[in-house]
Amino acid sequence: MADPNVHRSSTFAPVNIAVIKYWGKRDTALNLPTNSSLSVTLSQDDLRTHTTASCSPKFTKDELVLNDEDQDISGARTQACLRELRGLRKEVEAKDGSVPKLSGMALKIVSENNFPTAAGLASSAAGFAALVRAIADLYTLPSSPAELSRIARQGSGSACRSLFGGYVAWKMGTEKDGSDSAAYEVAPASHWPDMRALILVASAEKKDVSSTVGMQATVKTSELFNHRAEHIVPARMTAMEECIKDRDFATFADLTMKDSNNFHATCLDTSPPVFYMNDTSRAAVRVCEAINTRAGKAICAYTFDAGPNAVVYYIAENEGQVAGILKSILGGKMGWNSLQGRAVQAAEMPKGME
Ligand code: ADP
Ligand code: DP6
Ligand code: CO
């Protein structure tokens, strides 16, 4: 029988894959970026994190178990999320003396990703979005998605975008305290409902340079990076918002592929260089370029996060020309697994989670 002293809440959170990449922090303590970014939230029917948060007077210390392994949560970023959420719970407890004092109890968080963790498929985004929302639900916080997004950002920058559905921008902001650095919905998924994303798994292995470590090295050592953050990304953010508004796929694809390549160029310009893409990734790039050449216009857009795995965006009517050809050519190269070749839809947040 369930222990009445244990309070528990479970939630799911989706992955988001950026088409204009976040790479670089201007403030590592608050996790504030050096440039704005823009992403598409993918359906959590396919890729998702499932997280359960519980607390009890019997628990002795905060714990996080991820994919059945104990995690070290002493890091400042996870601690910041827990501290902020407990602070909000204290406000609830101060207002209503009859609610249980959950803020004083240790937390046990158990999480599972149903896709490769730390392999460049945005596990930290879905992971911290789920962690924050599971605890907020456990604490019955009245917080808005915007407020939870601000907290999740401190766990992992990209997580701030996974609290929203559809097409999501994260405006870098200029304030020192990060008060204007926030994610918001540019357009709901229903605005461009035939957008699809194909997930191609080149390797499910944990990367050897985490996103956090990689971007810090880039900020420190790459000159190309300064040009990207100051000139390239600001112009692309405006252009990307425009083409999403116009449902102009050819421009969307051009910007997406260029931005992925520009981001990976800054990784190569880092000392020592950071290699996230591998031979299989480059084979996927070549096939996409060939598909676009044959079609006479861009009908598919590859993008790679900090890892070797490709996400290919396309419009549903081009399913055969894009997904069909990618599968037939790359099928042998990319170790098949349950996610490969799945057309993942862009999605809204499920009801009750907005
Ligand atoms: P990715 O490309 O998958 O986002 P990162 O290097 O950004 O890779 O982050 C990976 C780290 O994110 C993991 O090592 C872990 O610390 C954290 N993480 C991943 N999934 C979860 C989760 N479900 N809950 C909490 N933390 C997670
Ligand atoms: C390449 O959000 O994982 O996926 O804030 O250090 O946790 P931390 O980094 P993270 O970086 C994501 C980098 C990216 C691009 C993106 O998602 O915008
Ligand atoms: Co990440």
Side-chain angles (χ1 to χ4, degrees), residues 17 40-43 46-47 194-200 301 310-315 339 341-346:
I17 298 293
V40 184
T41 295
L42 304 187
S43 163
D46 297 286
L47 277 67
D194 43 359
M195 180 68 80
R196 297 288 180 272
L198 190 72
I199 313 296
L200 296 170
V311 174
V312 181
Y313 288 109
Y314 62 94
I315 297 297
L339 290 173
R342 184 91 64 87
V344 178
Q345 276 181 270

Side-chain angles (χ1 to χ4, degrees), residues 49-51 64 66-67 71 111-113 115-128 130-131 156 158 206-207 209-212 305-307:
T49 296
H50 182 217
T51 299
L64 168 63
L66 169 57
N67 300 336
Q71 304 290 301
S111 187
E112 293 274 346
N113 298 326
F115 60 93
T117 297
L121 287 171
S123 71
S124 65
F128 276 95
L131 179 140
S156 175
S158 53
K206 187 177 166 150
K207 57 183 114 168
V209 182
S210 73
S211 296
T212 307
D305 268 5

Side-chain angles (χ1 to χ4, degrees), residues 17-22 37-40 42 167 192 195-198 228 232-233 235-237 239-241 243-244 248-265 277 285 288-289 292 298-305 310-315:
I17 298 293
V19 289
I20 303 292
K21 306 290 189 193
Y22 148 54
S37 54
L38 201 150
S39 58
V40 184
L42 304 187
Y167 302 82
W192 204 355
M195 180 68 80
R196 297 288 180 272
L198 190 72
R228 165 174 172 76
I232 293 186
V233 171
R236 270 187 200 150
M237 281 297 290
M240 188 57 98
E241 286 206 31
C243 70
I244 289 172
D248 169 1
F249 188 82
T251 308
F252 173 89
D254 183 51
L255 292 167
T256 297
M257 295 185 286
K258 279 193 169 138
D259 200 70
S260 174
N261 290 331
N262 184 259
F263 146 55
H264 287 277
M277 291 169 69
V285 168
C288 287
E289 294 287 355
N292 288 342
I299 60 168
C300 66
Y302 55 81
T303 186
F304 297 81
D305 268 5
V311 174
V312 181
Y313 288 109
Y314 62 94
I315 297 297

